Amino acid sequence: MHFASDNAGPAHPKVMDALIEANSGYAMGYGADRYMDEVRDRMRALLEAPDATVYLTATGTSANVLALASVCQPFQTVFCTPVAHINVDECNAPEFYTGGAKLTLVGEGDVMTPNALRQSIDAEGTRGVHGPARGPVSLSNVTERGNVYTAQQVTDLCSVAHSYDLPVHLDGARFANAVVATESTPAEMSWKAGVDVLVFGGTKNGLMGVEAVIFFNPDHAASFEHRRKRGGHLFSKHRFLSAQMAAYLRDDLWRDLATQANANMARLAKGLQASNQVSFTTGAFPDANMLYFDAPRAVHRHALENGATYYIEAGRIDGSDPDEILTGRLVTDWSQTDQQIDEFIGLISQKQS
Amino acid sequence: MHFASDNAGPAHPKVMDALIEANSGYAMGYGADRYMDEVRDRMRALLEAPDATVYLTATGTSANVLALASVCQPFQTVFCTPVAHINVDECNAPEFYTGGAKLTLVGEGDVMTPNALRQSIDAEGTRGVHGPARGPVSLSNVTERGNVYTAQQVTDLCSVAHSYDLPVHLDGARFANAVVATESTPAEMSWKAGVDVLVFGGTKNGLMGVEAVIFFNPDHAASFEHRRKRGGHLFSKHRFLSAQMAAYLRDDLWRDLATQANANMARLAKGLQASNQVSFTTGAFPDANMLYFDAPRAVHRHALENGATYYIEAGRIDGSDPDEILTGRLVTDWSQTDQQIDEFIGLISQKQS
Amino acid sequence: MHFASDNAGPAHPKVMDALIEANSGYAMGYGADRYMDEVRDRMRALLEAPDATVYLTATGTSANVLALASVCQPFQTVFCTPVAHINVDECNAPEFYTGGAKLTLVGEGDVMTPNALRQSIDAEGTRGVHGPARGPVSLSNVTERGNVYTAQQVTDLCSVAHSYDLPVHLDGARFANAVVATESTPAEMSWKAGVDVLVFGGTKNGLMGVEAVIFFNPDHAASFEHRRKRGGHLFSKHRFLSAQMAAYLRDDLWRDLATQANANMARLAKGLQASNQVSFTTGAFPDANMLYFDAPRAVHRHALENGATYYIEAGRIDGSDPDEILTGRLVTDWSQTDQQIDEFIGLISQKQS
Amino acid sequence: MHFASDNAGPAHPKVMDALIEANSGYAMGYGADRYMDEVRDRMRALLEAPDATVYLTATGTSANVLALASVCQPFQTVFCTPVAHINVDECNAPEFYTGGAKLTLVGEGDVMTPNALRQSIDAEGTRGVHGPARGPVSLSNVTERGNVYTAQQVTDLCSVAHSYDLPVHLDGARFANAVVATESTPAEMSWKAGVDVLVFGGTKNGLMGVEAVIFFNPDHAASFEHRRKRGGHLFSKHRFLSAQMAAYLRDDLWRDLATQANANMARLAKGLQASNQVSFTTGAFPDANMLYFDAPRAVHRHALENGATYYIEAGRIDGSDPDEILTGRLVTDWSQTDQQIDEFIGLISQKQS
């Protein structure tokens, strides 16, 4: 019953098979391997973007900040939500890679609205050289609280950004989950909506550790390779990244895994809803693979003490009042079984707070 | 009727005299001049801190960010208010000089409270290496909205910071005005309150362009000289900085000028209050030399069109509704005459909105 | 006949087996996996350093620059040879990660001598704040030209560094090869010689992509975890790094692979020597797994056109004079067969220039 | 007898007068003062460059590194001589402001040759993303050893740079002295020769502390204002910089002061030559205002003990052998009198080593 994160599960067997196959004989390093050629072709086809520039890195943070640094000057500011991964979970990596850019926090929660974005951009344009210049807009889809923007919503946000000539970065650590949840195509959810640089995540969706960075505007990509190298993110044995991503793109594996992850969450959320023990923090039924929910401490404790694993807001589980409401986070990936999910629902349901 | 900023007025005649006197013959460069010896002695005596380390720079931003960088690691975050000069008026200089540290914004306005500070620090300690580590606390006194912390209030804030082992930086661009306003001593308002590194401003209080950076803990000062040089802030003809600061410290010139600036504001505010045309945004009567006030657009326009100079929230003066309330900012220094002040009060008073 | 680099060959089967074994069920991310516990224990035992701090990264550049940044201030300079990997093959990554430190190039070639090091350090101490402050000394063993320092030579260089209170970083991308070549122990070649922070490479010696960074002084390690995260080098599915390194340390796999790589080079070099067609650029018979050699263009061309792969000084192979002497670089790893080696020797031998 | 540096003398009286005149009433800050309008007009006229962009900073290091950062990416390398001020006297400021660029040292001494430059550029283009990308070429005229490039020589160097599409920065801390020495025009010595961004120094030639940064290509200037602000180099009371530079440009004061400085050196060098006690290190008779010369320790000691001030290679004066040859550096500015110069010549001449 492991719902702590979609980066805690195993890599998919097809990915392991691809690694084993790739581990044969010699291959030129640093991206000059034949699997990277396959990745490039498949990614362009999938995204309906024959001129896209495609690179790989091994971590989500590196993918995000290399993408951002490619479209941001050190004296600019990046527009993102307060809970954006780049703001709260990358330990100043955006500031580091951009050479000191600032993050301007838009709105209050995880979902950015066009109005809030416009207000923030306007507010950053009033101080001349005393404040930062306006820089890229960074969106996350799926958001860090499990919400999903539709392609239309992404389009609306990109329109605001572009009306100020600002580029848009999409942190797609769970891009596959968002595409599946909205029944859109990868193209509709990225460049057709106005996204300039996309991080198409693989690590949280069944790979060992590979993310693709895709630039739809070749000018934006000009400095990426040097930036990746000087960040220490260019792999000598690059074939082992390429092989994972190639497997991910073959036969729509990315889609199958995200579909399964989302389905696992749907089953989980439906069961929890029926339990009458919890309420969904973000209000709506989860469309993708992440859920924040409120439940009494006693309910959480019962689950955690009986084999479930997931995160509670830091340090809160130890309080004494069994009725105090705490927020838990559940994440699914392709690997949970129906039995595990149902067992967890059972744990939550049976406990009378 | 110039109330745009305390950096728009002239340098005090005594400062010019000191420059002329210093401009004679040869002097060793880079801080090895005899005026710097005088500065060091006088500053230590004034601050009752015989072991303090004293440096000069020529701009407020450089003083702040060199001070901060001396006590902040690139993977840390600085705690400051949302309107702190380091957040809104230094164009990412803190991020640049610290090598990429982040700013965590405490509370809503210009005045930080111990509770808000504690909450912010607590919140930054929950994400391990995923979030930034906790770094220095940065206060401004006078604040950027014209409020003044008492020495006791500074003490309370420093106590919170030190309870987490965090150093405290005080942006004292208007330190003299704060000391005068609170009838405290420079020592009470700095190290006795717990301040670790102080920027003692001169530029806004009658100098051409000199700020002192004072470290009360020699360990914090260890890297300053190299940082100043690599920031391009070490002056070859350093005597011209020293001479200004020496004049500032002789015969309490700093105090006389701040006293005059504060008195000018008191006269101005009293007159405005009596006009019944304005309200003071920050609520209280200004203790120091800065005032934010609300008045109808017509009132502002009348004043600005008849020779007054001051800032209105960006771009707002051009609106059409004469009754719309706009916020203006007034700043005094030592150089306004009673006549100019009274003339401005007259302009504001006579206009019926 | 692939001698281009020791990062072009496959990962060792035992490493693949370890990955497959690790890919089972759930594991806490970011280094909290059980394989990392094993790595820590085994590494400390191997290095006879029970208090050493052990971290993993996935690339050699990231390991080097995170290690350096941990012991270097932005206003310092790093002492290394002109051909050091950190100078010529990391695209400014050291400058980036240290926040702008400089590299001072010691001597002329790949082997640093104590005298040259002392001269360089002395020369960097004459300009006060105008020049950089002295920072860490960085050695590479095996060097970038295939030479090997004995433990005594490393000791002598560390003694010079320590006499100036400077820490020593050892770039051990081929540390295993150096240890095997000198018949020393890992401890003798690192902390017993005075090394403060060691990069113990795995990628060039049979892993997919893992390097260990080991600090022998815990003070030096204090900032590493935050630096690794903000560099984007902390892996969520960290178990896949740990599993590789654990396999590397079990049953002395690291030693077996390096022994084989060195033996392959010995066979290769002996054969080349006998051919009378080449001369060894670095003079001596190669102790480890890398060789620079001079041969006429026609000899190189014959080899390259008949299936051999290795590097020639950039762009030179296309010249017209068949007798012009060009320098080639050969690197072996554990994976070449005797047959491949002998075939290559045959190619070189048979060609009359 | 002060020949330590041209930054040790006083500011010229006309400069002080201009400061006093500027210190009257109120002036908009941050460069919006009327003296800056005058500076812009006069500088464009002087340089015959009506579209040039002109900025001021207060130190030579800040001018150089802000200029460089405007035309250099963090993953590039700057080509300069080993003794360039940016390499040896700016404490990593170029690395800091460029965000981590490297310096590639061209040739051996202070004078760059087209061939050496071409070789260095070629050598930096062979490693793809593993090495830095090629960045700007930085020249100093007068050089740091007192040599002067003719306009033709600058043209030849710029031609090499431009043939690789690299921009050229000219560190003109002593630009006026170079122009006077070569009887060229400022235009011939800058943009007509191919210089893209010029630092036109004032501090070493009679100002208190002001340097002009002039971009001849407006694209290069695009980020300067934000970079200057985030570097802490934008002066609130900017009129005090503008006023100095305006005085410098009025009535060719810059030329008169440089002419006098060069003449002072000519008198000094002629006298030293006649003394038969010294030899000129750089070989030729000095064209500008700086001289490196060799003399026995006893000769140096005699001069220094009798009132002369100048630099000897660090720490060397204390040795015991009176006959050992040491290198001294002499610099003149506009302020030395013939009497002081002759007295110094006398000191050198009278001592029998």
Side-chain angles (χ1 to χ4, degrees), chain B residues 11 23 26 59 97 207 232 237 335, chain D residues 11 23 26 59 207 231-232 237 335:
Chain B
N23 190 38
Y26 297 87
T59 67
Y97 274 80
L207 303 190
K237 297 187 173 175
S335 69
Chain D
N23 190 39
Y26 297 86
T59 66
L207 303 189
K237 297 186 174 176
S335 69

Side-chain angles (χ1 to χ4, degrees), chain A residues 163-177:
Chain A
S163 71
Y164 294 89
D165 280 329
L166 305 180
V168 178
H169 158 253
L170 180 59
D171 175 353
R174 297 183 180 95
F175 183 73
N177 305 86

Side-chain angles (χ1 to χ4, degrees), chain A residues 220-240:
Chain A
H220 292 154
S223 67
F224 187 90
E225 292 195 61
H226 274 100
R227 290 185 189 277
R228 180 175 58 176
K229 173 62 192 175
R230 89 174 182 123
H233 290 289
L234 179 59
F235 276 60
S236 56
K237 297 186 174 176
H238 187 279
R239 62 169 141 173
F240 296 115

